[in-house]
Amino acid sequence: ARYDAEQARAGASPARRAEATLVEAWLAELVRPGMRVLELGAGTGRFTERLAARGARITAVELSREMLVRLRDRLARRGFSDLTLVEGDLLEVEVGGDYALVCSFSVFEYVADLDRVLAAVTARLAPGGLLLFTTARRGLLRAFVQLGNALRQGVWLTARSEPELRTEAAVVCDGN
């Protein structure tokens, strides 16, 4: 219930603004009207809204029913209605395949078995499709964030280094 307010808080907002700026630039370059996009861990829709504004045909998956309700309300207020919203675990829901873009923003740090998730994600990509994601990187500051998150949400985030992410992605994608 407090997610959006927490994300807008002074301490979190510089990082969130930087992430939003970077993602917006990527979306401007990659997303075209009518493009099939699968968003994993859509949350309350910070980036779902941006994808919809670019005319993407979106299937958004979210585990939390409460966040999905907020996402649906947010999109309806903006007049976006031609989306598929799916509640469930991204490894268990049926969302089809052949997506030109699969994206996930600040979600993979909540995933313990990233190899399994990446395998499921790449299986849903169309030939030549792209995977776009942001995630927490390992570092001293991140350790404090992980501890705070564990106390607040009862979930320990799994921060990974860039080389770890590249290795995991290369193994799952088999170099393709």
Side-chain angles (χ1 to χ4, degrees):
R2 299 181 313 263
Y3 178 79
D4 287 328
E6 283 180 3
Q7 298 306 305
R9 217 176 34 219
S13 61
R16 291 298 177 207
R17 279 194 304 272
E19 179 187 36
T21 299
L22 182 61
V23 169
E24 185 59 40
W26 288 338
L27 297 182
E29 182 179 329
L30 298 173
V31 178
R32 301 291 171 250
M35 175 185 258
R36 288 191 73 222
V37 176
L38 174 62
E39 184 184 13
L40 304 172
T44 61
R46 289 184 322 126
F47 296 112
T48 316
E49 187 175 7
R50 289 174 165 94
L51 289 163
R54 297 199 164 281
R57 292 184 4 225
I58 306 163
T59 298
V61 177
E62 175 52 48
L63 180 63
S64 165
R65 176 171 287 146
E66 293 81 11
M67 291 184 105
L68 196 62
V69 167
R70 285 178 171 68
L71 169 60
R72 186 174 284 116
D73 291 346
R74 178 185 206 146
L75 296 173
R77 282 192 311 271
R78 291 287 310 273
F80 299 123
S81 59
D82 190 22
L83 298 105
T84 302
L85 304 180
V86 180
E87 179 185 344
D89 185 310
L90 59 95
L91 289 171
E92 297 173 5
V93 297
E94 181 49 52
V95 292
D98 288 331
Y99 290 94
L101 176 66
V102 175
C103 55
S104 184
F105 306 106
S106 299
V107 173
F108 289 165
E109 57 264 32
Y110 290 91
V111 174
D113 188 351
L114 188 58
D115 288 342
R116 185 170 171 223
V117 169
L118 289 174
V121 166
T122 55
R124 292 180 169 115
L125 283 169
L130 299 172
L131 169 61
L132 173 66
F133 67 93
T134 64
T135 190
R137 278 195 285 177
R138 185 174 294 137
L140 182 59
L141 179 59
R142 175 54 54 188
F144 290 106
V145 173
Q146 287 174 285
L147 180 59
N149 197 73
L151 294 172
R152 233 178 32 261
Q153 296 179 350
V155 177
W156 185 259
L157 300 179
T158 304
R160 296 169 177 90
S161 68
E162 185 173 340
E164 285 175 308
L165 289 167
R166 288 184 182 280
T167 299
E168 289 185 51
V171 167
V172 171
C173 297
D174 196 29
N176 296 326

